[in-house]
Amino acid sequence: MQTNFLIIGSGISGLNFALHAAKKGEVILVTKKKLIDSNTNYAQGGIAAVLDKTDSPVQHIKDTLEAGAYHNNKKAVEFMVKNSPEAIYRLIDLGVAFEKENEKLKLTQEGGHHHKRIAYVGDYTGQEIERILVKRVKEHVNITILENTFALNLLTKDHTCFGAQIIRKNKIDNIFADQTILATGGLGQVFSNTTNPAIATGDGLSMAYRSGAKIEDIEFIQFHPSALAKKTSPRFLISETVRGEGAHLINNKGERFMNDRHPLKELAPRSIVAREIFKELKKGPVYLDITHQPKEFLKKRFPKIFEKLSKYGIDMSKNLIPITPAAHYSCGGIKTDIYGQTNIKNLFAFGEVACTGVHGANRLASNSLLEALVFSNQITKKLKAQKKLQVLTIDRLKILPKNSPETILAKKLHKEIQTLMWQYAGITRNREQIEKIAIPRLQEILKKLTQIQGTNQILAETINIAQAGLLILKAADLRKKSLGCHYIE
Ligand code: FAD
Ligand code: SIN
């Protein structure tokens, strides 16, 4: 197969970029499950933007830099904030119906923001954005969609990208492209506790690294303070907007412990709140308490969360919600400029897999959908389809059956990596343990996995989380002082 633009991933950045690219040439969009399977589809809180007359770009920039511990690329932050209103209006034009009041966008607040500036749709903003973008992409004649298609490796030679090797219908194939775009999202599945769905295995990051792409700030993994902590439940996210609407954090003694830990209390930057919860969890359970809000308000404002909690026997208008921090977002990634250009010719990256530098050492809430959108709007500025394909010969790898001993081993190691990463690269880190225990063991695992003859998606994803994990550990080891969400014990 051959195309002008090969886009890997169908979250907000891949879908949005596809709509722009389709105006310039032919697009093939591949995604490893169904189109809607993405982190985007899980986003609850909303998108940050300067949309209110009493707010200002200066304040949004300030909040972003403060959350990012001033490790951010200031130019990229200014670019994102400047383009934030336009990005929201684009979504509205495409059909996203953000909440309104008296014909004006209704805005909410989250941790680290000094102003109400989050546009939202109930507590399912991402699902609504994904639904609209999928609809628009499906309507476009220039876009070919390949679902259940797994990108295995990039096809690169002499620091130039020519497309990707894929697994589709149990066969390995090549897709050649003038431009290859990684929009593969995050890597939450590297950790045993995560808010991310199963697709988030760091594939794009690992593929790009194997091809020689520069990786930046990957030690900065953001842990969301409030995921549901029920033994039988996945780590379902309880949006920060629940705190934005007044929820308190309560320890096992019933104390509102954030009162004396930060001036913004429950709405302090995420890394601080997550760490304080982590400390309290050593003494006993931690809860969110929003029982002071009426049931009807909560059902209307947080319909999905209300419903989900009810399934686990929690009525949020009457009961405390047990919570724990969980791996949520990768602030770093493949280094790009503001046009998504990586250091590999014809290879671009957008969204969570990319590191534009806007988040610095810790992302400000709801800046992620914004970043993914603003930067993937950038095609008109620099990308040009060029027909200079060179056909490369590739190794024909054997596909391993799902029940093969190699696949069973990969599944076992997958779990071991997640547990190891949570223990050694989680909310608090110890460099000696990283050097002496975590890095050597993960190197051993990666070696074992890469020596296996043949491949399949399960094995490839396990190799990718091992590779991503190793990159995180090595970067964490190099950063000797605590900064943002990288916290040394
Ligand atoms: P994604 O939306 O994750 O899409 C990645 C795509 O790549 C998927 O389609 C995936 O299947 C595909 N893919 C991956 N690897 C391969 C491969 N090897 N081959 C083929 N396809 C592949 N951010 C905010 O700003 N506001 C919020 O309110 C918010 N809430 C969140 C709530 C939750 C529970 C989570 C998990 C995240 C939240 N975030 C939020 C973060 C935000 O959702 C993500 O950072 C953002 O959606 C990432 O978009 P993306 O396009 O980069 O990647
Ligand atoms: C949330 O709703 O708490 C998540 C927001 C985000 O990750 O930006």
Side-chain angles (χ1 to χ4, degrees), residues 9-16 19 29 31 33-43 47 91 94-98 121 124-138 145 147 183 199 369 372-373:
S10 57
I12 184 170
S13 56
L15 295 169
N16 184 51
L19 293 173
L29 188 145
T31 192
K33 282 179 90 183
K34 293 256 174 248
L35 273 178
I36 60 159
D37 288 308
S38 59
N39 272 5
T40 300
N41 204 43
Y42 285 71
I47 298 200
L91 283 182
L94 288 169
V96 177
F98 287 107
V121 186
Y124 52 92
T125 310
Q127 190 184 310
E128 184 58 10
I129 293 173
E130 184 77 16
R131 185 180 75 80
I132 293 293
L133 290 176
V134 162
K135 191 164 171 237
R136 298 291 168 238
V137 161
K138 280 186 172 170
I145 297 161
E147 290 183 311
I199 52 100
L369 292 172
L373 193 61

Side-chain angles (χ1 to χ4, degrees), residues 44-45 110 224 237-241 270 328 363 365-367:
Q44 295 180 353
E110 284 183 285
H224 197 290
L237 184 79
I238 314 294
S239 174
E240 199 150 303
T241 51
R270 248 174 222 182
H328 184 61
R363 172 178 67 97
S366 287
N367 263 355

